Amino acid sequence: MKKFIKHTFSLCLVALIAFSCSQDESTDYVDAIVAPSNVSAAVSVTQDNTGLVTITPLAQGAVSYSINFGDGSEIMEGITPGEGADHVYEEGTYDATITAYGLNGLSATAAQNVVVSFKAPENLAVTIENDLAISKQVNVTATADFAMFFEVDFGDGSDVVEANIGEIASHVYQDAGTYTIMVTAKGAAIETTSYSEEFEVTAIVQPLASAPMPRNRAAEDVISIFSSAYDNVPDTNYFPDWAQGSQGSSWAMFNLAGDEMLQYINLSYQGIALADGVTVDVSNMEYLHLDVWTADEVTAIETSLINNSSGTVTEAPVTTNLNANAWTSIEIPISAYTDQGLTVSEIFQLKFVGTPWAAGTVFIDNIYFYKQGEVTSGGVTPLTFETEFSLDAFDGGATTVVANPDTNGNTSSSVLELVKGSGQPWAGSKITIPTPFDFSGGTTVTAKVWSPRAGLNLLMKFEDAVPWPDVTGTAEIIATTTVANGWETLSFDFTGIDMGIDWYNMVLIMDNGTQGDGSANYTIYVDDISTSPELDFEPAFSLDAFDGGGTSVVSNPDTNGNTSGSVLQVVKGAGQPWAGSKITVPMPFDFSGGTTVTAKVWSPRAGLNLLFKFEDAVPWPDVTGTAEIIATSTVANGWETLTFDFSGIDMGIDWYNLVMIIDNGTQGDGSANYTIYVDDIDIN
């Protein structure tokens, strides 16, 4: 099988919540729709000396296409999106013209060079590089005379990847190492030209982004060991001499663009010691928090608290699985230590142990104990759009938190979307939580489920945190839907579940044993899973939209430059020119520490104007708002940090709402051109 990567499509489910000032059925908005953009084409040719070329037009906002093949032949009209046109060329070089037509008849054109030669490709030049942002990804580009595309065998048994000449073919390896990469340039000729190279694939072994910023908590609710967000216990030793060096371990204070974090190299075991004679009483705290980043060498970390009560030293460990090439935010209940008999009134050391032993490096940040007191004013920032659980999918499944598409029968604003694609018959999804699921209060699990059809079988099981294939799982309990296109509550009976195992993962599979196809028939929504803790998929803020805007929390579609798992998707639809979105927080935004607002923004184009303003909680039209501050994107199809200066903001007003408008004064159309992603909104 060959995979074409000439063009990459990102298909996002956009949940539009439209609010209109009137209910007329005018279609005037059609006149404001812009012409199609990003017009191009995917081109392939058969290698048989026949000159048979297939051109597949591509564009944003197009409803049909025409192709002028550039050789004097008849123009082909009425090509629908996704379809290609076959054409036989004589040997030669041609400039084909692709014309894309929008809904209102506006059009845009682009030229496409077509080279048809029955000569073998010549002057093949190949560039092979490790990607600077994605670990173990290799990017290959190739140019050659008399060639139209090239294919790459990456040398690890994976599928061959094809790309147009001059474009990029990419592949992510399972393991770093040296591989023989074969590049073959192809044109219309039967003969091809190849190049091979022994290439070393490298892993990115350091984080590219900081750990999530801790919430603003009252001083009495936190005991911080290492974090720039709080006052740390003074004179703490982050690398005491416990003979780690004899195990090949070492440490460094790693600085990422001014953000310091602990780097423990070849982690076997590592201690943190408070100053001599210093202990902390964490018996009034509820959790120990730490953020850990690692590449794929370290799969789990054991975190021990060590107590020194009247000269008697005792300790207890808790083990947590780690995510590869990403930050893992760990929340360990203090009860996980006291339940092992540990006294926690005189903690004077912490210890970390890596699994496997001395096999890789970890970066650790934000080590602190805390209790769930009231968050201080402004504690809602930064808005990271991350949840207290992580989502994963396997063998063709897909999992995303989305805006509830049907509030009839379930008024939640956010729900879990599960899609079964055309992978394996057992394709499914997995929810991982930082502390084990608790069945002490009951073994019957209920969940609200929206299914497109009655008779859909939903399988649920729980697994421990041991990596596959040594994972331990519960029985697979199946519940069957009885309602089509509506919500109902399903029950799963886990009587007999082993209470002695820590169940960190919940696995969900729809119609196990049946091949999915990614369609609406294999898309369900799940909410309010009655485990402890209950999984309700609601963020710590509410989202709203007005006059044609749309807002939802979605999986990050581009982790290059922003490794967050979840981000805010903002869409400007065909409503009013001021259509926008609004974030409402439970406590006012706090500007006492600064009036500069920053946000990571992914824009489809440079020059997009993003408006920010804050409003109080008074209903429209009596609402009080700040000045409207606009920042302009400078990057297309990538993440950047935008800055909004709110100097002079009235500190006497409680600002509960943040309003965002894309290109205020310009009509949106709901397309990719008017879809942005926002993350890590902060005030400093």
Side-chain angles (χ1 to χ4, degrees):
M1 178 184 294
K2 298 178 180 178
K3 294 189 287 188
F4 283 82
I5 63 164
K6 294 180 174 113
H7 296 268
T8 302
F9 296 90
S10 177
L11 303 179
C12 299
L13 174 65
V14 179
L16 295 177
I17 308 172
F19 293 82
S20 177
C21 295
S22 63
Q23 296 183 352
D24 63 58
E25 298 181 357
S26 171
T27 59
D28 291 343
Y29 72 91
V30 174
D31 295 331
I33 296 177
V34 297
S37 59
N38 297 329
V39 182
S40 61
V43 182
S44 62
V45 60
T46 58
Q47 293 81 57
D48 57 3
N49 288 3
T50 64
L52 177 60
V53 176
T54 301
I55 300 177
T56 304
L58 302 164
Q60 292 179 350
V63 296
S64 68
Y65 301 92
S66 67
I67 300 176
N68 183 334
F69 294 102
D71 62 351
S73 60
E74 184 178 353
I75 296 174
M76 182 172 288
E77 306 275 1
I79 301 170
T80 59
E83 289 188 349
D86 292 337
H87 186 70
V88 176
Y89 283 92
E90 297 292 334
E91 209 171 359
T93 300
Y94 305 91
D95 287 323
T97 302
I98 315 300
T99 302
Y101 299 93
L103 184 63
N104 56 358
L106 290 178
S107 63
T109 63
Q112 174 65 51
N113 185 246
V114 178
V115 179
V116 178
S117 173
F118 301 146
K119 291 183 179 181
E122 297 177 359
N123 301 320
L124 174 60
V126 175
T127 301
I128 305 175
E129 297 176 321
N130 284 294
D131 193 278
L132 296 178
I134 302 176
S135 184
K136 293 175 290 185
Q137 176 169 306
V138 171
N139 302 323
V140 178
T141 57
T143 60
D145 297 333
F146 313 124
M148 291 184 62
F149 65 96
F150 64 98
E151 67 178 23
V152 184
D153 182 342
F154 285 93
D156 62 347
S158 60
D159 293 339
V160 169
V161 176
E162 290 189 356
N164 284 341
I165 288 291
E167 295 184 358
I168 299 175
S170 298
H171 174 63
V172 178
Y173 287 84
Q174 288 291 111
D175 300 299
T178 300
Y179 298 86
T180 301
I181 297 178
M182 174 73 75
V183 179
T184 302
K186 295 185 175 184
I190 295 174
E191 294 182 73
T192 61
T193 302
S194 297
Y195 167 86
S196 66
E197 179 180 326
E198 295 290 315
F199 185 80
E200 183 180 0
V201 179
T202 60
I204 295 175
V205 293
Q206 66 185 50
L208 300 176
S210 297
M213 181 65 70
R215 303 178 72 185
N216 295 334
R217 298 182 183 275
E220 61 269 21
D221 294 335
V222 179
I223 299 174
S224 181
I225 306 300
F226 180 83
S227 177
S228 61
Y230 308 118
D231 292 332
N232 298 321
V233 177
D235 301 322
T236 298
N237 187 348
Y238 300 111
F239 192 74
D241 185 10
W242 290 0
Q244 299 97 322
S246 65
Q247 306 296 323
S249 300
S250 61
W251 93 294
M253 186 69 77
F254 180 73
N255 189 304
L256 178 63
D259 180 19
E260 289 188 328
M261 58 193 71
L262 304 173
Q263 179 182 9
Y264 293 127
I265 302 163
N266 293 326
L267 177 65
S268 52
Y269 63 92
Q270 171 59 46
I272 290 181
L274 303 186
D276 291 345
V278 174
T279 64
V280 292
D281 182 357
V282 302
S283 58
N284 194 38
M285 298 289 113
E286 297 173 352
Y287 294 93
L288 167 63
H289 175 97
L290 61 154
D291 293 303
V292 182
W293 188 100
T294 183
D296 55 4
E297 294 92 348
V298 183
T299 59
I301 190 169
E302 178 186 284
T303 305
S304 295
L305 295 185
I306 305 176
N307 196 71
N308 185 11
S309 179
S310 302
T312 300
V313 176
T314 55
E315 66 178 271
V318 172
T319 300
T320 309
N321 284 345
L322 299 178
N323 300 316
N325 299 302
W327 284 102
T328 302
S329 292
I330 299 174
E331 305 278 350
I332 303 175
I334 300 302
S335 60
Y337 295 104
T338 57
D339 287 349
Q340 299 182 60
L342 182 69
T343 301
V344 294
S345 58
E346 297 179 64
I347 298 298
F348 76 117
Q349 294 174 341
L350 290 81
K351 185 177 72 175
F352 306 116
V353 178
T355 302
W357 180 272
T361 296
V362 300
F363 298 79
I364 304 181
D365 200 357
N366 300 322
I367 308 170
Y368 58 86
F369 303 90
Y370 74 95
K371 62 182 178 180
Q372 296 277 17
E374 285 193 13
V375 178
T376 60
S377 177
V380 293
T381 53
L383 296 174
T384 64
F385 308 106
E386 303 302 315
T387 54
E388 295 300 321
F389 50 84
S390 62
L391 301 177
D392 198 0
F394 51 88
D395 298 317
T399 316
T400 313
V401 175
V402 301
N404 185 359
D406 182 2
T407 55
N408 184 11
N410 178 18
T411 58
S412 294
S413 61
S414 298
V415 296
L416 188 68
E417 179 191 67
L418 305 181
V419 180
K420 187 172 187 178
S422 55
Q424 297 291 345
W426 56 81
S429 305
K430 184 171 69 173
I431 305 169
T432 301
I433 61 174
T435 55
F437 290 97
D438 182 10
F439 293 93
S440 60
T443 57
T444 297
V445 178
T446 60
K448 293 179 182 177
V449 177
W450 189 102
S451 170
R453 49 191 163 88
L456 181 145
N457 293 318
L458 182 60
L459 179 153
M460 179 185 292
K461 75 170 181 175
F462 293 87
E463 295 179 346
D464 63 6
V466 179
W468 184 269
D470 298 320
V471 63
T472 299
T474 66
E476 299 177 347
I477 308 300
I478 295 175
T480 303
T481 62
T482 62
V483 175
N485 299 313
W487 289 98
E488 66 179 312
T489 299
L490 300 183
S491 295
F492 304 81
D493 186 359
F494 284 90
T495 300
I497 191 171
D498 189 338
M499 300 287 192
I501 296 176
D502 288 335
W503 305 108
Y504 282 89
N505 299 297
M506 174 191 291
V507 175
L508 298 169
I509 303 174
M510 69 179 83
D511 288 340
N512 188 28
T514 301
Q515 183 84 42
D517 59 10
S519 68
N521 198 44
Y522 283 94
T523 299
I524 66 173
Y525 301 94
V526 181
D527 198 16
D528 296 342
I529 303 175
S530 66
T531 52
S532 178
E534 182 177 17
L535 299 174
D536 62 5
F537 310 108
E538 299 302 315
F541 47 81
S542 62
L543 302 176
D544 201 355
F546 52 89
D547 297 317
T551 317
S552 59
V553 175
V554 301
S555 295
N556 185 357
D558 182 3
T559 56
N560 185 8
N562 179 17
T563 59
S564 294
S566 299
V567 297
L568 185 70
Q569 178 180 259
V570 179
V571 181
K572 187 172 187 178
Q576 297 292 345
W578 55 80
S581 304
K582 185 171 69 174
I583 302 173
T584 301
V585 295
M587 281 168 286
F589 289 99
D590 181 16
F591 291 91
S592 61
T595 58
T596 298
V597 178
T598 59
K600 293 179 181 175
V601 176
W602 189 103
S603 170
R605 49 191 163 88
L608 180 144
N609 293 318
L610 181 59
L611 180 153
F612 269 27
K613 77 168 179 175
F614 292 89
E615 294 179 347
D616 63 7
V618 178
W620 186 268
D622 298 320
V623 63
T624 299
T626 65
E628 299 177 347
I629 308 300
I630 294 174
T632 303
S633 65
T634 63
V635 175
N637 299 312
W639 288 98
E640 66 178 315
T641 298
L642 298 183
T643 301
F644 304 81
D645 184 0
F646 281 89
S647 299
I649 191 170
D650 189 339
M651 300 288 190
I653 296 177
D654 288 336
W655 305 108
Y656 281 89
N657 299 296
L658 171 58
V659 173
M660 295 174 289
I661 301 176
I662 299 169
D663 287 340
N664 189 28
T666 301
Q667 182 85 44
D669 60 8
S671 69
N673 199 44
Y674 283 93
T675 298
I676 66 172
Y677 301 94
V678 180
D679 198 16
D680 296 345
I681 302 173
D682 202 0
I683 303 173
N684 41 54

